[in-house]
Amino acid sequence: MSNDVSLLREAMERTVDDLPPLPDLVPAAALSGRRRRARARLTVAASALGVAGLAALGAVVLPGGGTEAGVAATGTVPPAPYRTPVHVEATPGETEEGSLNGLSGAERKRFEEFQQWTAHVLDGALPDAVGTIRPLDSSVVSYQGEKDGDVFRVTFTVRPDDGVAAGPCTSIPEKGMTCGTAELEAGTETTIRVGASGSMETNATSMAFTYGGSDVRLEISPDERTGRSAPVTAQQLLEGVRESGLLDVVRYADEHPLLEKQVSVRGG
């Protein structure tokens, strides 16, 4: 698996090649600077999105801030600053998808470096209101953002395609579900859903699409403890993923899988 680690490093380095080096700043200042640059570059107009129903989607969730673009621009691998993983106690008897437990040394290192890369890129894909993204120490698919006392769980999966067609993109107002589609890049169509999660008063925002031979899903869950919906609109999620370099992360995970093929039937 040492070859996979080298390939991951090369992919991460390619992602930052087009970004200028940062001065020697403290992590918080560096993060703020990257976000300011990204907001200046984020010029995709709403009229050019080609989205079906995203205006209605945006009205369902709380608005967030801007986005930052890409991973850290220091040229280091994993990207700096290092993000200390969040420790969450596992539920007894439950096996978490993408668990880091039981991995060999080289494979665990690959998973952990992938998490660091992904956490930085997710910062570019998600609004400031979600908070700084950190990986969870238990699973390669689990991350969280925390800001002003709110904690938002972020789930990011890239798994081999199970061959089961996804359900139709259907809005169900009575269940608090709104769905829209858009072209993420040439030849790649994504579905974006905003819907009730945990309760009818709190919403999650999610994106799902097929890339190469993989099914990809990104979901931002509400903070059920504080009753705060995921602070990202469908349009913000679409623009953020387009601009952040997250598809580079997806491409790596598609070519060098970290998850096994889904065996259950996908719902709509």
Side-chain angles (χ1 to χ4, degrees), residues 2 4 10 22 52 65 77 91 122 201 218 224 248 254 262:
S2 59
D4 278 347
E10 291 172 5
L22 289 173
V77 179
T91 302
L122 284 172
E201 285 70 45
L218 171 61
E224 297 177 14
D248 289 330
D254 174 59
Q262 182 83 15

Side-chain angles (χ1 to χ4, degrees), residues 161-183:
D161 186 2
D162 59 11
V164 179
C169 181
T170 304
S171 296
I172 311 174
E174 62 272 20
K175 293 185 178 181
M177 170 69 73
T178 310
C179 185
T181 60
E183 188 174 68

